Amino acid sequence: MPKIVIAIDGYSSCGKSTTAKAVAARMGYGYIDTGAMYRAVSLFFTQNHVSFSNPKDVQAALDTIHISFKHNNRTGKNETYLNGLNVEDSIRTMAISNIVSEVSAIPEVRWAMVAQQQKMGRKRGLVMDGRDIGTKVFPDAEVKVFMTADTTIRATRRQQELLAKGSLVNLSEILANLQKRDLIDSTRTESPLVQADDATLLDTSYMTIEEQVDWVIEQADQRLAELHRAGK
Ligand code: DC
């Protein structure tokens, strides 16, 4: 059986990460949350007072950043590490959500992250979620999904996620953050958030996570069957 790449792109809080994680587990594939990488860079820039507008400072900072993922057997989660420190919780705060789109629009940041992501997926057998996976990171991904959902439903989902972590955030604040991020993500010059020509659109507004996972697995099974028929 060949190993394929499954690219899941789309707007924030459509269930991309949860779906991607479950698909990877069911297929025995690796999983990379590329949003976590941009969040980790944002955390580093904040902690080290890196000036976003100075490409030299940005590059110098990027040269000292090492991002990795480690599976936590206790939580069952793949956790994000920044220069050896577990930053899984600190990258999910509103403070980071408020600056991550600005940081991820910086060309030097994108070049560095895309290069790392391509390296991580060299052996294929991977589910990767983000904004530019099907267009930029793996334009040759065998399965490409582009997720969208109603904005208010997305904001409510994000609010529940934050609440589960003990942080109560106003719905209007979350809504404003999502709208601002959508705008910056889809209008930036370097690899903006757009649906790849060969990606399939999935509106998750009224779908459960299980339905989303089944849907992606079906796409993957169909693609694997096609590859099998083609003798690949
Ligand atoms: O998936 P997320 O909400 O954790 O992503 C955080 C931000 O990172 C998102 O607003 C845009 C950026 N991002 C990106 O530009 N490219 C990616 N491949 C993944 C995320």
Side-chain angles (χ1 to χ4, degrees), residues 12 16 34-35 38-39 100-101 104 110 130-133 158 181 185 188:
S12 317
K16 293 191 306 290
T34 63
Y38 291 98
R39 287 175 178 273
V100 65
S101 281
S104 58
R110 301 211 69 80
R131 305 292 188 288
D132 59 343
I133 312 306
R158 178 57 60 125
R181 282 206 283 148
D185 293 348
R188 66 179 175 230

Side-chain angles (χ1 to χ4, degrees), residues 21 31 33 69-81 86 88-89 92 165:
K21 222 176 290 170
Y31 162 64
D33 171 359
F69 295 97
K70 249 190 244 165
H71 188 79
N72 181 332
N73 288 331
R74 192 177 50 81
T75 60
K77 275 181 19 179
N78 233 12
E79 297 181 335
T80 316
Y81 282 73
N86 187 330
E88 186 56 32
D89 289 334
R92 311 278 172 197
K165 287 181 191 146

